[in-house]
Amino acid sequence: MAQLIVTAVGPDRPGLVAELTRHVYDAGASLADSRMVNLRGHFALLALIVGPAEALASLRSKLENEGAGLGLRLEMYEAAVVGSRAPGSIPYRLKVYSNDQPGIAARVTALLRQHSVNVEELETRVESAPFAGTPLFVLEGVVTLPQGTSARKMREELAALGEKIGCDIDLDAI
């Protein structure tokens, strides 16, 4: 099966997801992996769509012609079929909580990069802290540690970073 990566951004409105997924279905293709989110009134989509090459070509043409009518800026990329994770890598759930401050995601992901840890998924948000009501930064994701990387050592380094920048950081096996 062929693969197509689609990104879309535009003003959010009710029915937008139904319209997009109808186009995928009508073309004879399927959503494999996708993320869709309302970012404070702005719709954002990242999707991996699979199907026969002819179906994806039809979908691409349809979206190119009707994307503006949906109110979306669309980009599409043909994707090579590859494995989802490096052989021998081990998935972990990463959670970071802190009073909101600039640079948390940058510093945590820089440490992960130093150890060749791959970020598979990452979500951040700012919410109201329980009881205090102050802005609380939350980072949650899935990372894969390469074969031979010690989870205990990674946790120790994340804890040291967390202490330095005032964050709680958890790394738990999935």
Side-chain angles (χ1 to χ4, degrees):
M1 292 247 171
Q3 298 184 142
L4 182 69
I5 294 174
V6 177
T7 64
V9 178
D12 192 38
R13 62 178 170 76
L16 191 52
V17 172
E19 291 175 39
L20 281 167
T21 56
R22 180 183 43 90
H23 286 306
V24 173
Y25 176 71
D26 287 349
S30 296
L31 282 176
D33 296 316
S34 67
R35 303 293 184 271
M36 300 178 213
V37 65
N38 177 341
L39 297 169
R40 299 182 187 180
H42 303 279
F43 175 78
L45 161 109
L46 176 62
L48 176 68
I49 300 170
V50 298
E54 309 80 46
L56 295 183
S58 172
L59 174 65
R60 186 178 195 142
S61 176
K62 184 88 165 166
L63 290 176
E64 285 171 347
N65 291 329
E66 295 189 18
L70 295 170
L72 297 173
R73 187 177 47 204
L74 291 151
E75 291 190 31
M76 292 171 268
Y77 310 90
E78 292 180 23
V81 177
V82 295
S84 61
R85 289 196 174 113
S89 63
I90 303 167
Y92 284 83
R93 175 125 355 251
L94 175 68
K95 295 180 185 175
V96 179
Y97 304 92
S98 173
N99 289 329
D100 191 25
Q101 58 180 298
I104 298 169
R107 295 177 82 178
V108 170
T109 57
L111 177 61
L112 297 174
R113 181 183 62 206
Q114 289 174 6
H115 295 279
S116 299
V117 173
N118 192 45
V119 177
E120 302 282 339
E121 297 177 28
L122 186 73
E123 176 184 337
T124 64
R125 64 185 174 278
V126 176
E127 54 189 45
S128 183
F131 308 111
T134 58
L136 176 69
F137 177 81
V138 179
L139 178 151
E140 295 179 311
V142 175
V143 299
T144 51
L145 275 59
Q147 191 171 18
T149 299
S150 166
R152 181 185 57 74
K153 184 176 189 303
M154 197 72 243
R155 283 185 188 103
E156 289 172 358
E157 289 194 35
L158 286 166
L161 174 63
E163 192 169 312
K164 181 177 180 180
I165 63 175
C167 297
D168 290 326
I169 305 176
D170 299 321
L171 186 67
D172 300 312
I174 295 179

